[in-house]
Amino acid sequence: MIPAKMDPISITPIAEKGVDSIFDWFEQHKQSFYILGCTYLSHQQQIEELFFRSIIKVHKQLPRIKSETSFETWVTSIFIHICRELSDNHSLQVSVERESRQDIFKALDQLKLEEKEAVALTYIKGISKEEAAYLLQVSLEKLKELLFSGIRSLRKVLVDGTPSEGCKEYHKDYIDYLERTMDRSKKIDLEKHIYHCQDCQEDLATFQDVMLTMLNLAEKMEDLHVPSGFMENIKARLAEKEKHRQLKNKKRIRKGLIFAGVFAIFIGLEFFTEVFSNRYYSWTEENQELRTYLEKDLGERLNLEAESDGVKIKIKSVIADDVQTLVFYQIEDTNEDNQFMLNYGDGLFVENEQEIMSSVTYPTYYPPDFESEVNNKEKNVYQGKISLLPLSKDNGTIKLKITSLLNLIQDSSDQNGFRINENLGYKTGEWNFEIPVTKQPSIEYALDEETKVEGIPVRFYKLIMAPTATVLQYGINIEQQVKRIDNLTFANLEVNNKKVKPGMYGSSFLDLQQDMNWYMFQTHFSPLFGEKPKEVKVQFESVYVSFDDQKTIELDASKGYSQTFEYADSTISIDKVEIGQPTTAVISLGDSKNRAFQSLHFNIEGEGENQNWSMEMESEGVLVDKNGVEYDMNNPIPHEEIEQPRYFETSYRVKVHGDKVIPKRLVLFGYNKMEYLDDVVKISLE
């Protein structure tokens, strides 16, 4: 049985508003999804990553949601898939604080994955068996088998002694009987048998005890509070991702490599030959980057075209390798002077993605090319490129479906001459392509070098030389309990005295695990065609570090406010507390200069008429460049001119929603900071 169909009215606003609306939806359903995440993962940072990835993926795949599926069921399927991806990484050090970890969560960890998922979805998240079977892609009978075996396995953990096994032919009836969904005739037969069978009496009784114990624990988990600041952290990460995208849209893009050739000489040497024909078409290509690929026989002209409502999309060529699948395209508006671009996840998806593409990594984001000469020629034509997942096969046909385009507008007030047209938003339509593609070979070089950044080991594993990018794979050790690296950036990569820069969005987490004490990452750099590396130099740029440093500050309203205290070599003050609905508190962090941290992780604990309250937080801050110059966030900021900016939070305004909650304690968990680096690591390959 398939779950109830989605209400199209409820999903429309989510689709229109984008990722913010999806975040709001998760905010409303955070409790049940947080508990579900806890059944897979045991660490706070993993669960935060789970929510972050789920929101991004739901936003990306929203155009392909099936009409026969409820929205929550569809989101749950994505959530579970990401749970599985992250569940192998059990070594993060920031534990989720929960009293019940020693009972139901610990017990669930003993089950097989299928059993745990069936039990968690049915009894913890509380969805119907039909829905759970649909999500797990099993029959209803199979789901019941998994529930039975899962409860039997839980019994070994939760019940002392060795209970009787009962009669196997009646095992399949236990769940229906206890849940009172069994047919009357079957129920009578079972009860007759149980009356005369001591083993089945004991077996069914202990089975029932486990079910009741689990349901009681599941009810207690409804009181499991989502940690303070949890959703705020995710929202901040989403905002940071969007900010980087906006900044990147405004940044000037360096022109591609210009390859000069003496046209007349090649005409004399290769006239009327196939080689000349290939080179001729390569040179006549306007896009210099694509021209380079064509010249090197790494792709071919396609010129596939589709039209919808007067807008033509032409797929000019596709370059595929083990890193990504690059699609070069041109969009022409034949009705008006509009320029449109493709944006991955916004109305663009590969229908047969699971069949021919690998999901080990993520596509690279390429912002609009505002500087390109070809995009400043005609007001109704735009040429660009977009990255898709790499192929899992040597060749195949990409079934590309496009349903919306992002509208660009020329703007003389912007130094780049273009901006995204927020008013017009998207151009909708339907453009379908079947694109033949062949994967180009890449060369991998094993690396064996280890260094330390901020005292934390960093290990280099692999260098991949691919036609579309140079990729550095590395690991960050996560064994330390009080200090961890959240992000590591590089200034450049030098191979055989040739330096290449990293892409702004070229770094990603890898779902690979060389060692359970290491997290794997990779960074994309500009391609180095045909180089055979003898020595690699990696220059670091910055590191973002989190510290666990717990401290509890007792609050005493009788002393009045403000109240100050020392933390992380800085003076922090609680300027104001107002009791009400909500209760508000203002916390100042002081001057950003010479401060050991940029932001804090904290929670406010208090007393009220009941214990059901939640906390939301707003922050203010300043942007500080590498030279210490501060920029007020309330004024226009010249982002392109700022060198490696850092954002320092200066104050928090906290609202505690509940019945006149009286703050009693400020609990500090830790803080974050970014450090500039200039270290160079040399790696020999000879």
Side-chain angles (χ1 to χ4, degrees):
M1 178 177 177
I2 296 177
K5 291 186 178 181
M6 180 197 329
D7 177 4
I9 297 175
S10 64
I11 190 61
T12 300
I14 295 178
E16 290 177 350
K17 294 181 182 178
V19 72
D20 287 341
S21 186
I22 294 168
F23 173 85
D24 292 341
W25 188 91
F26 267 91
E27 175 77 37
Q28 295 172 11
H29 298 79
K30 62 184 178 184
Q31 186 74 13
S32 65
F33 279 97
Y34 184 81
I35 293 171
L36 180 59
C38 287
T39 64
Y40 286 85
L41 308 168
S42 60
H43 300 281
Q44 179 67 45
Q45 190 175 348
Q46 284 179 311
I47 300 176
E48 185 177 306
E49 179 71 15
L50 166 63
F51 271 70
F52 177 74
R53 287 199 202 179
S54 297
I55 292 169
I56 295 297
K57 194 160 187 177
V58 167
H59 177 247
K60 169 189 166 184
Q61 295 192 357
L62 198 57
R64 69 178 72 180
I65 184 171
K66 297 178 180 179
S67 59
E68 73 271 11
T69 308
S70 73
F71 183 67
E72 183 169 359
T73 299
W74 179 72
V75 171
T76 304
S77 68
I78 291 175
F79 193 83
I80 289 172
H81 178 74
I82 298 173
C83 281
R84 292 167 179 167
E85 290 179 349
L86 293 174
S87 61
D88 290 334
N89 301 317
H90 295 298
S91 53
L92 279 173
Q93 57 271 37
V94 186
S95 297
V96 176
E97 297 180 1
R98 51 193 179 210
E99 295 178 358
S100 58
R101 184 68 207 170
Q102 296 304 315
D103 33 59
I104 191 167
F105 287 114
K106 185 175 180 180
L108 286 170
D109 286 343
Q110 311 303 312
L111 304 185
K112 296 177 181 177
L113 178 61
E114 285 184 325
E115 293 175 345
K116 180 165 74 171
E117 289 179 332
V119 171
L121 289 172
T122 305
Y123 295 117
I124 294 178
K125 198 170 191 309
I127 66 177
S128 69
K129 293 185 181 64
E130 290 80 9
E131 210 172 357
Y134 176 80
L135 285 169
L136 298 179
Q137 295 295 292
V138 297
S139 67
L140 186 57
E141 289 305 313
K142 177 63 176 177
L143 180 82
K144 290 180 180 179
E145 290 177 13
L146 292 172
L147 289 173
F148 175 82
S149 60
I151 292 172
R152 291 294 288 264
S153 298
L154 283 171
R155 187 171 66 167
K156 296 176 182 177
V157 180
L158 300 177
V159 177
D160 294 332
T162 305
S164 172
E165 293 295 322
C167 301
K168 291 185 178 180
E169 62 266 30
Y170 291 99
H171 286 173
K172 65 181 184 301
D173 298 326
Y174 281 9
I175 291 176
D176 287 341
Y177 177 74
L178 293 172
E179 293 183 352
R180 300 181 180 179
T181 58
M182 179 178 285
D183 292 342
R184 179 173 174 79
S185 59
K186 284 187 176 181
K187 178 175 178 290
I188 293 172
D189 289 341
L190 178 62
E191 288 177 342
K192 285 181 178 178
H193 173 77
I194 293 173
Y195 181 80
H196 296 286
C197 181
Q198 183 68 28
D199 287 344
C200 282
Q201 289 178 22
E202 294 177 3
D203 190 27
L204 184 61
T206 55
F207 191 90
Q208 182 180 29
D209 288 343
V210 173
M211 280 188 66
L212 291 173
T213 300
M214 185 174 57
L215 289 170
N216 289 334
L217 288 170
E219 288 178 4
K220 289 181 181 179
M221 284 195 295
E222 292 180 3
D223 298 327
L224 176 66
H225 292 294
V226 177
S228 172
F230 179 81
M231 294 303 293
E232 288 80 3
N233 289 343
I234 296 167
K235 190 171 186 178
R237 290 181 64 184
L238 293 169
E240 187 70 17
K241 181 181 176 69
E242 175 64 15
K243 183 181 74 174
H244 279 306
R245 187 182 72 82
Q246 297 283 358
L247 289 177
K248 189 64 175 176
N249 286 345
K250 291 184 176 182
K251 277 185 171 290
R252 292 185 176 274
I253 302 174
R254 296 181 180 274
K255 290 189 176 181
L257 299 174
I258 302 174
F259 291 90
V262 184
F263 191 64
I265 293 177
F266 281 103
I267 289 179
L269 293 175
E270 300 175 329
F271 191 65
F272 289 137
T273 67
E274 183 179 356
V275 174
F276 169 74
S277 178
N278 289 337
R279 292 183 183 273
Y280 171 77
Y281 286 116
S282 299
W283 291 329
T284 56
E285 170 57 50
E286 292 178 293
N287 186 305
Q288 294 175 1
E289 183 181 6
L290 176 56
R291 187 168 64 195
T292 303
Y293 285 119
L294 295 176
E295 185 185 43
K296 293 178 177 292
D297 293 326
L298 295 172
E300 60 179 340
R301 282 178 173 271
L302 295 174
N303 292 332
L304 303 174
E305 193 171 288
E307 182 175 351
S308 179
D309 194 22
V311 176
K312 295 180 180 178
I313 301 180
K314 180 187 291 185
I315 304 298
K316 302 178 71 175
S317 188
V318 176
I319 315 298
D321 54 29
D322 292 312
V323 174
Q324 62 185 327
T325 302
L326 268 185
V327 178
F328 290 87
Y329 65 88
Q330 175 181 296
I331 303 177
E332 178 185 2
D333 188 348
T334 62
N335 294 330
E336 300 179 52
D337 286 342
N338 289 316
Q339 289 183 304
F340 301 104
M341 66 169 284
L342 301 178
N343 197 28
Y344 186 79
D346 286 336
L348 178 148
F349 58 95
V350 178
E351 294 183 291
N352 58 338
E353 182 178 278
Q354 294 185 349
E355 298 173 21
I356 67 169
M357 291 183 161
S358 170
S359 59
V360 172
T361 184
Y362 302 96
T364 301
Y365 173 70
Y366 292 106
D369 188 352
F370 296 139
E371 193 176 71
S372 170
E373 180 181 347
V374 77
N375 287 333
N376 285 277
K377 240 186 223 183
E378 300 176 76
K379 295 182 179 180
N380 66 328
V381 177
Y382 178 82
Q383 293 191 27
K385 66 179 178 182
I386 190 166
S387 173
L388 306 178
L389 291 170
L391 294 182
S392 58
K393 301 179 179 180
D394 291 336
N395 51 67
T397 299
I398 298 173
K399 295 180 180 179
L400 186 66
K401 186 179 185 67
I402 301 168
T403 57
S404 66
L405 311 172
L406 192 61
N407 201 327
L408 303 173
I409 187 171
Q410 294 198 20
D411 184 1
S412 57
S413 66
D414 189 282
Q415 71 172 43
N416 293 308
F418 285 84
R419 63 180 172 84
I420 294 176
N421 191 338
E422 302 290 352
N423 294 323
L424 295 182
Y426 293 90
K427 171 70 175 179
T428 59
E430 185 168 330
W431 300 264
N432 296 299
F433 296 92
E434 292 194 359
I435 308 170
V437 60
T438 299
K439 184 164 65 173
Q440 301 295 327
S442 303
I443 303 176
E444 296 185 359
Y445 298 91
L447 305 179
D448 185 15
E449 190 70 31
E450 187 172 311
T451 187
K452 286 190 175 182
V453 177
E454 288 289 300
I456 297 174
V458 174
R459 183 181 294 169
F460 297 100
Y461 288 103
K462 188 183 295 183
L463 182 70
I464 303 173
M465 309 285 281
T468 65
T470 304
V471 181
L472 180 67
Q473 291 186 356
Y474 58 97
I476 297 175
N477 188 272
I478 55 175
E479 290 180 283
Q480 288 201 32
Q481 297 298 310
V482 297
K483 184 178 180 181
R484 63 185 178 277
I485 293 177
D486 292 331
N487 190 37
L488 185 62
T489 65
F490 303 94
N492 59 66
L493 179 74
E494 185 176 332
V495 177
N496 299 346
N497 299 318
K498 293 183 180 180
K499 288 185 179 181
V500 286
K501 295 286 186 181
M504 177 175 283
Y505 297 99
S507 295
S508 60
F509 175 82
L510 273 177
D511 292 330
L512 299 173
Q513 196 169 7
Q514 299 281 357
D515 187 304
M516 68 181 301
N517 294 321
W518 295 77
Y519 260 13
M520 294 287 293
F521 298 87
Q522 67 178 17
T523 296
H524 290 195
F525 296 81
S526 301
L528 287 165
F529 296 112
E531 289 289 333
K532 184 176 181 181
K534 298 178 181 178
E535 183 182 66
V536 176
K537 294 181 182 178
V538 182
Q539 181 168 355
F540 295 108
E541 182 179 62
S542 65
V543 61
Y544 194 74
V545 186
S546 290
F547 295 83
D548 289 343
D549 184 8
Q550 188 155 334
K551 183 175 183 177
T552 299
I553 308 298
E554 299 294 335
L555 304 179
D556 187 352
S558 65
K559 295 181 179 179
Y561 293 97
S562 82
Q563 297 179 21
T564 63
F565 59 91
E566 298 297 315
Y567 180 73
D569 297 326
S570 299
T571 300
I572 298 172
S573 65
I574 304 172
D575 297 335
K576 182 173 65 174
V577 174
E578 294 181 351
I579 310 300
Q581 294 179 331
T583 292
T584 60
V586 177
I587 302 171
S588 296
L589 306 183
D591 195 347
S592 63
K593 293 181 179 178
N594 301 318
R595 205 170 76 189
F597 61 88
Q598 290 170 242
S599 62
L600 293 178
H601 298 159
F602 66 91
N603 188 23
I604 290 179
E605 296 180 354
E607 297 176 355
E609 295 180 15
N610 63 57
Q611 298 298 310
N612 295 320
W613 64 68
S614 62
M615 190 179 90
E616 66 172 292
M617 180 176 60
E618 297 175 356
S619 67
E620 292 186 357
V622 295
L623 208 61
V624 182
D625 70 10
K626 192 173 183 180
N627 300 314
V629 178
E630 290 189 2
Y631 298 84
D632 187 347
M633 298 297 290
N634 297 317
N635 297 322
I637 297 175
H639 292 286
E640 295 81 4
E641 301 172 11
I642 301 178
E643 183 180 4
Q644 293 181 254
R646 295 186 291 178
Y647 181 71
F648 283 83
E649 292 178 337
T650 56
S651 66
Y652 298 108
R653 183 178 182 83
V654 182
K655 294 181 181 180
V656 184
H657 296 277
D659 295 334
K660 296 183 179 180
V661 179
I662 301 173
K664 291 294 185 180
R665 287 168 295 279
L666 175 66
V667 182
L668 298 158
F669 300 111
Y671 56 90
N672 299 325
K673 73 171 183 176
M674 171 181 159
E675 295 287 351
Y676 297 115
L677 304 172
D678 56 10
D679 308 62
V680 177
V681 178
K682 297 181 181 180
I683 307 171
S684 176
L685 295 176
E686 292 184 331

